[in-house]
Amino acid sequence: MLRLLSIRNFAVVAALEVEFDHGFTVLTGETGAGKSLLLDALSLLLGDRFEARQLRLGADRAEIAAEFDLDDAPAARAWLVEHDLADDGPLLLRRVLDAQGRSRAQINGRPATLTQLESVGELLIDLHGQHAHQSLGRPETQRQLLDAYGGFAALAREVALSWRAWQDALERRDRGAQDLAAIQAERDMLTVRHAELTALAASADEWERLSQAQSRLAHAATLLEAATTAEAELGDGDASLASRLAAVVQRLRHAAAHDPALDEMVALCDEARIRADEAARALRSYRERLDLDPAELARVEARLSAIHDAARKYRVRPDELPALAERTDAQLAMLASAADADGLARAEAAARRELLDSARELSAKRKLAAAELGHRVSAMMKRLAMAGGRVEIVLLPLAEPASFGLEGVELQVATHAKQPLGPLARVASGGELSRLGLAIQVVLAEIGELPTLVFDEVDVGIGGAVAATVGRMLQQLGRRRQVLCVTHLPQVAACADHHHRVVKRAGAGEVATELARLDPSGRVEELARMLGGHEVTAKTRAHAKELLAQHRTPTPR
């Protein structure tokens, strides 16, 4: 539940902090005092779009923060844990907005995105706006209400995804038929390339290996001459380096008998002699292996030329030919699939079957939920002074599946017993539409799981006994969940467990909105003002006390 809301420099609010309790809380005040601004700020905190005009005049930034108790919000706590944003204790949300339209958000002191604010907000608060009933006439709104009531919004999203997959398969099938000639021409070109590259069969390291072999074979005579000369110099005959080093070692060894300090030099020279001898043997072995075969050189150069020609033809480096061959195979496979009319038709049919399976499941669930929702809203209408009125949720079959399923949803209404059912938008008057919207919202709220419900002047257009009924409905909801309501009706305000008054004050060229929590005597004065306007009399006070007495209920914990 919402524990604390803090607002700085938002619209006409300079600085405001308000604590909320369990149960049913109302916010009242004169028209234009800024009652709905608190809920607008709360909406921004939960991810709504910010407009620079919402910044307080003269301020360079606004700040909105809130604290939520998560004891009654296990889904929100689980979401925080999953996204590594959980802390012990309450949840802290914060959003800072500046004059350039930029904003920063935090969840428990850590940077967060607006999408994350919105996601966690959807698990905390259900907000019903003051104009929610105006959208009731739209088919998509009616369909969404039914899906929300039935609890199968996730299945509806699955149907939408299946419909998109079916549309994609349908488009591939149609495009394949239209582009068959172009696809075949491309396949012919790729088939020729595939045959050439397969016949060439170049490997990844072949170009480098052949280049080295060609250089060696082309210079074989020079290499042989250099190896032979070097071998002779190192180890062949009395004048060779190895022989001369052996003589040096022998002389130094005799001299070392008289001075052991020469032993280290003897060892170094002896090692040089051994190395020279090893080098001579290695050169002999290299010379014996050296290939002077002109035919092998011709074969290597022919292979290099073939690889080079293919690389130049397809505009790649020689060492990229194996990768080109792989890409060609993949493109041919893709084009074969694209040109496979039967395969594309089978894929489209399979996607359609998958869509129909999930859509039929959704239809069956909607049918049951529609009957139940119509019955419950009809019962609620009677409580809202629409005796004899009834609602039916009609499912209208479609000729072809749509992204939302196999049927449209139409809310049909009769506002009194003698009136036939008809589409809501054509049957209900403004006041009836407002009451019907409230009835639907209360029914949805009763089955929901979110810990906090917010109603922003949803009682507009009603009064008298109906207003008292609305107040009692919200009071009953407040026994199970936290309910916040902006209202202008004293009958609704009298049912509240907690009452805050919003006041707009002007002074020193500024206008500011303030909020006060009312004690029992303050509630009497505010209800008297709501009943009698600016002039509060003993009679309106007496009426206010009577209203409070009629609707008194034990204050929730």
Side-chain angles (χ1 to χ4, degrees):
M1 60 167 281
L2 176 63
R3 280 291 188 190
L4 175 70
L5 180 64
S6 172
I7 304 172
R8 298 282 185 277
N9 296 323
F10 178 69
V12 294
V13 177
L16 186 64
E17 270 194 10
V18 53
E19 294 185 17
F20 295 102
D21 297 290
H22 289 269
F24 175 30
T25 297
V26 291
L27 304 172
T28 64
E30 294 183 4
T31 301
K35 301 184 294 297
S36 293
L37 283 178
L38 277 73
L39 306 187
D40 291 342
L42 188 59
S43 297
L44 278 175
L45 186 62
L46 299 177
D48 268 11
R49 183 179 175 183
F50 168 68
E51 298 179 12
R53 63 178 179 80
Q54 294 174 298
L55 199 65
R56 181 173 169 80
L57 188 64
D60 56 2
R61 71 173 197 172
E63 180 178 332
I64 306 167
E67 176 184 311
F68 292 86
D69 185 343
L70 298 182
D71 289 345
D72 51 1
R77 188 178 294 280
W79 185 94
L80 291 168
V81 171
E82 179 184 351
H83 291 81
D84 198 26
L85 293 168
D87 272 346
D88 294 335
L91 166 64
L92 303 176
L93 301 182
R94 179 171 178 261
R95 189 171 177 191
V96 177
L97 316 120
D98 65 25
Q100 286 71 46
R102 298 186 298 257
S103 75
R104 299 191 310 276
Q106 292 180 344
I107 297 177
N108 283 332
R110 290 163 226 174
T113 64
L114 292 187
T115 300
Q116 288 176 316
L117 280 184
E118 184 177 2
S119 296
V120 73
E122 289 174 349
L123 302 173
L124 294 168
I125 290 180
D126 192 2
L127 199 156
H128 301 273
Q130 58 179 300
H131 303 297
H133 64 277
Q134 295 176 0
S135 66
L136 274 179
R138 297 201 296 264
E140 61 271 22
T141 301
Q142 297 175 12
R143 185 177 63 252
Q144 290 164 3
L145 285 172
L146 177 60
D147 290 349
Y149 175 79
F152 33 79
L155 179 57
R157 287 193 294 271
E158 181 183 323
V159 168
L161 290 173
S162 296
W163 181 84
R164 183 69 266 168
W166 173 52
Q167 291 297 300
D168 290 343
L170 199 60
E171 184 180 345
R172 285 193 298 271
R173 187 200 69 183
D174 294 343
R175 191 172 61 243
Q178 295 167 3
D179 299 343
L180 191 58
I183 290 172
Q184 188 57 50
E186 188 174 359
R187 284 184 71 188
D188 292 343
M189 180 272 292
L190 289 172
T191 299
V192 172
R193 183 200 294 177
H194 175 266
E196 290 181 359
L197 294 177
T198 300
L200 185 64
S203 61
D205 62 345
E206 187 177 9
W207 176 261
E208 183 66 25
R209 185 164 41 80
L210 288 173
S211 296
Q212 293 174 358
Q214 189 270 343
S215 180
R216 186 182 68 253
L217 289 167
H219 298 85
T222 302
L223 294 171
L224 181 60
E225 180 185 357
T228 302
T229 302
E231 181 192 351
E233 291 289 336
L234 285 172
D236 190 12
D238 294 339
S240 68
L241 181 58
S243 297
R244 294 200 302 275
L245 282 171
V248 170
V249 170
Q250 187 176 10
R251 284 195 298 274
L252 287 175
R253 195 169 278 147
H254 284 307
H258 305 292
D259 186 356
L262 288 171
D263 287 342
E264 184 178 351
M265 279 68 87
V266 170
L268 290 172
C269 290
D270 196 34
E271 183 178 351
R273 177 190 63 77
I274 294 169
R275 294 281 184 176
D277 192 47
E278 289 176 350
R281 288 197 300 273
L283 283 166
R284 188 180 309 117
S285 176
Y286 171 78
R287 182 170 52 79
E288 291 171 352
R289 294 195 315 272
L290 197 59
D291 191 355
L292 295 174
D293 185 2
E296 176 64 13
L297 174 60
R299 188 194 70 76
V300 169
E301 289 182 337
R303 179 67 175 164
L304 282 171
S305 178
I307 293 175
H308 181 267
D309 289 346
R312 185 174 57 186
K313 178 177 181 179
Y314 296 118
R315 303 186 180 210
V316 296
R317 295 196 308 269
D319 58 352
E320 293 177 342
L321 285 172
L324 177 62
E326 291 180 5
R327 290 199 301 274
T328 301
D329 288 345
Q331 287 173 293
L332 276 171
M334 184 180 69
L335 289 175
S337 173
D340 180 7
D342 290 340
L344 290 172
R346 288 193 299 271
E348 182 271 329
R352 182 184 174 91
R353 282 195 303 273
E354 185 174 342
L355 166 62
L356 290 175
D357 287 345
S358 54
R360 284 169 181 148
E361 181 184 354
L362 179 60
S363 295
K365 291 179 180 292
R366 278 176 173 165
K367 185 176 181 181
L368 294 174
E372 184 178 336
L373 179 58
H375 175 74
R376 294 188 65 171
V377 174
S378 297
M380 193 67 67
M381 289 171 67
K382 293 177 176 60
R383 297 176 61 187
L384 293 174
M386 299 175 76
R390 65 193 188 281
V391 165
E392 284 189 15
I393 315 295
V394 179
L395 304 183
L396 306 172
L398 301 175
E400 279 292 312
S403 61
F404 49 81
L406 299 176
E407 62 279 317
V409 175
E410 184 175 84
L411 203 155
Q412 296 189 355
V413 180
T415 57
H416 54 80
K418 294 183 179 180
Q419 184 184 42
L421 286 166
L424 177 143
R426 294 206 303 265
V427 171
S429 66
E432 290 168 338
L433 192 62
S434 176
R435 277 181 281 168
L436 184 59
L438 180 60
I440 292 173
Q441 289 172 16
V442 171
V443 167
L444 292 175
E446 286 177 342
I447 65 166
E449 299 294 332
L450 298 186
T452 299
L453 305 175
V454 177
F455 295 90
D456 185 8
E457 294 195 28
V458 294
D459 49 14
V460 65
I462 61 176
V466 177
T469 300
V470 170
R472 286 193 293 272
M473 287 179 180
L474 296 177
Q475 185 184 68
Q476 290 169 7
L477 281 176
R479 291 171 185 166
R480 294 188 291 111
R481 297 153 79 186
Q482 183 187 42
V483 177
L484 309 179
C485 179
V486 171
T487 184
H488 64 284
L489 297 177
Q491 297 94 329
V492 173
C495 293
D497 304 306
H498 317 286
H499 193 153
H500 297 264
R501 184 185 181 194
V502 182
V503 180
K504 182 183 289 186
R505 301 192 186 282
E510 281 191 329
V511 176
T513 291
E514 299 175 358
L515 188 71
R517 184 178 182 126
L518 301 181
D519 58 16
S521 61
R523 291 191 69 179
V524 170
E525 291 298 309
E526 175 64 2
L527 288 176
R529 181 198 64 77
M530 296 171 75
L531 287 163
H534 291 291
E535 185 178 351
V536 176
T537 65
K539 190 173 183 178
T540 55
R541 286 192 183 93
H543 190 184
K545 290 178 182 178
E546 183 181 356
L547 270 180
L548 283 173
Q550 287 175 352
H551 299 294
R552 183 174 292 124
T553 183
T555 301
R557 58 182 176 85

